[in-house]
Amino acid sequence: MKAAIIGGTGYGAVELIRLLKKHPNFQIGTVVSNSQAGNSFSDAYPHLSGLIEQPLEKFDPKSLSETNDLVFLATPSGVSGNLVPQLREYGMKCIDLSGDFRLRTAEEYETWYKHSAPAEKYLNEAVYGLSELYEEKIKTAKLVANPGCYPTAATLGLIPILKSNLADDETIIIDAKSGVSGAGRGVSLTSHYAEINENLKAYKLGAHQHIPEIEQVLSYESGNPITVTFTTHLVPMTRGIMCTTYVKLKNKLSTENVHQIYDEFYKNKPFVRIRPVGTIPATKEAWGSNYCDIGLHVDPRTNRLTIISVIDNLVKGAAGQAIQNANIMFGWDVRTGLGDMPMYP
């Protein structure tokens, strides 16, 4: 099958290219970049010279539908909301890596993203693509909203304890840190080398667009309206996300008790690895892979659970999870094409 990619020169797109190249069931189809149409993909990424000489093309929904079986949209927010309806009119299956279809209401989207929302028809059609939770819905989906990188790490870390009804859901604090690639390839003061090197920045306090996405999933899964304190930081590394999450427990539990809950919850989910008691994951240990690694610790003095969840923001937080969702949509094993071990050191 052929998979098209729209937004062909961003980090999400080049990671899709890397993973799809090794996928046994997909060929790389049309690669769309309106800004660089006519150039080769390797012009944008010279490390792929002689490997991927794919021509970059302009967006043409009719042509895409005639030559591809699936479209990945790796565009900035506010773009795919206009493109997906055109693709769906031609019956194309779409996986959107931006935030345009993650939130359930137009009002909430416009409040947090500061763009006009997509048509309500498509907001209702979209299935939220957190692979480990919504596999059954993804199987029949025609439009999948791939989760954000921070929400993937944060929600996978929190869901088991919330669904067990053993946590006080009014006490959730998420301290999140990301590498600079999460800011995209565009030039900005935020990701300027002199600004980020040997520096640590908190940003978008109380205003990050991933806050409603996290709260939406946690509220749905717990059955209670949940609000979280969510603080993001930019750290001077290229890849990786670590979410350090704190939540008060309702009853006295040990780390071993909580570990058993998580082991049971994720026992058939190959891309979530629960670390043994006493070991805590580091971002480097998930580098280049589709794994989410989770470490757990209950402080007996405070009866507070600390959850450490780490992912590669470009793989499990973007392209890898998108391919995992594509595998589910086409009825393949979720691990297909995603068997890479983490790169280390």
Side-chain angles (χ1 to χ4, degrees):
M1 293 186 177
K2 285 192 175 181
I5 299 169
I6 299 176
T9 57
Y11 290 144
V14 73
E15 200 69 350
L16 280 166
I17 292 281
R18 181 177 75 86
L19 296 171
L20 288 170
K21 180 71 174 174
K22 297 176 289 184
H23 199 288
N25 301 336
F26 275 126
Q27 293 179 6
I28 298 167
T30 308
V31 182
V32 173
S33 173
N34 283 339
S35 64
Q36 297 199 39
N39 294 332
S40 168
F41 193 81
S42 63
D43 292 333
Y45 287 102
H47 72 290
L48 296 177
S49 295
L51 300 173
I52 306 291
E53 298 296 345
Q54 198 86 3
L56 297 171
E57 302 182 21
K58 286 192 174 292
F59 178 72
D60 181 340
K62 184 174 185 295
S63 175
L64 284 166
S65 70
E66 292 169 348
T67 54
N68 299 276
D69 301 284
L70 172 71
V71 178
F72 294 101
L73 293 101
T75 58
S77 62
V79 176
S80 61
N82 294 319
L83 303 185
V84 163
Q86 299 177 60
L87 294 164
R88 290 293 302 124
E89 288 299 311
Y90 285 96
M92 291 295 297
K93 290 184 176 182
C94 300
I95 298 178
D96 179 36
L97 280 71
S98 82
D100 283 8
F101 298 93
R102 294 175 190 158
L103 302 181
R104 296 276 63 90
T105 69
E107 181 181 9
E108 193 165 36
Y109 174 83
E110 290 171 359
T111 298
W112 290 90
Y113 280 86
K114 314 303 181 187
H115 300 299
S116 296
E120 187 174 359
K121 170 184 175 181
Y122 298 102
L123 290 178
N124 294 335
E125 181 184 30
V127 171
Y128 188 70
L130 191 59
S131 309
E132 280 71 24
L133 265 65
Y134 304 122
E135 183 170 343
E136 290 305 311
K137 293 181 179 180
I138 296 166
K139 284 179 180 178
T140 57
K142 300 297 189 293
L143 169 58
V144 170
N146 216 53
C149 48
Y150 281 128
T152 295
T155 56
L156 289 177
L158 273 163
I159 290 298
I161 197 66
L162 289 183
K163 287 185 76 70
S164 71
N165 198 31
L166 294 172
D168 180 351
D169 57 26
E170 295 184 358
T171 66
I172 298 170
I173 298 173
I174 305 167
D175 181 310
K177 298 175 176 65
S178 175
V180 187
S181 60
R185 203 182 188 197
V187 178
S188 71
L189 191 61
T190 301
S191 55
H192 191 291
Y193 178 80
E195 296 287 331
I196 192 60
N197 182 48
E198 298 184 8
N199 198 8
L200 178 61
K201 290 183 177 181
Y203 66 101
K204 290 187 178 180
L205 271 68
H208 200 287
Q209 69 272 17
H210 287 164
I211 290 173
E213 183 181 341
I214 292 169
E215 292 178 345
Q216 177 178 273
V217 176
L218 297 183
S219 298
Y220 179 81
E221 289 299 317
S222 68
N224 300 313
I226 289 180
T227 56
V228 301
T229 298
F230 177 67
T231 303
T232 54
H233 305 77
L234 200 59
V235 297
M237 62 184 188
T238 303
R239 291 172 178 253
I241 280 178
M242 175 181 284
C243 285
T244 303
T245 302
Y246 307 95
V247 61
K248 191 87 170 177
L249 297 173
K250 293 179 179 178
N251 306 310
K252 283 289 184 181
L253 296 172
S254 67
T255 301
E256 288 78 9
N257 296 147
V258 174
H259 192 276
Q260 188 174 2
I261 291 167
Y262 277 69
D263 262 348
E264 179 65 23
F265 191 88
Y266 287 122
K267 66 181 180 181
N268 296 317
K269 308 299 180 184
F271 289 118
V272 179
R273 304 189 296 186
I274 308 303
R275 291 299 182 86
V277 173
T279 62
I280 300 300
T283 57
K284 193 78 168 179
E285 294 161 6
W287 241 54
S289 80
N290 198 50
Y291 291 107
C292 175
D293 289 0
I294 298 174
L296 304 159
H297 176 72
V298 177
D299 186 339
R301 298 178 310 108
T302 61
N303 203 36
R304 184 177 287 112
L305 170 63
T306 300
I307 306 159
I308 308 291
S309 50
V310 303
I311 62 170
D312 184 319
N313 56 293
L314 294 177
V315 188
K316 185 60 173 169
Q321 185 157 228
I323 291 173
Q324 187 177 349
N325 284 325
N327 288 338
I328 295 169
M329 292 169 78
F330 287 101
W332 305 325
D333 189 299
V334 294
R335 295 165 291 189
T336 307
L338 295 171
D340 280 1
M341 294 186 296
M343 298 183 290
Y344 199 94

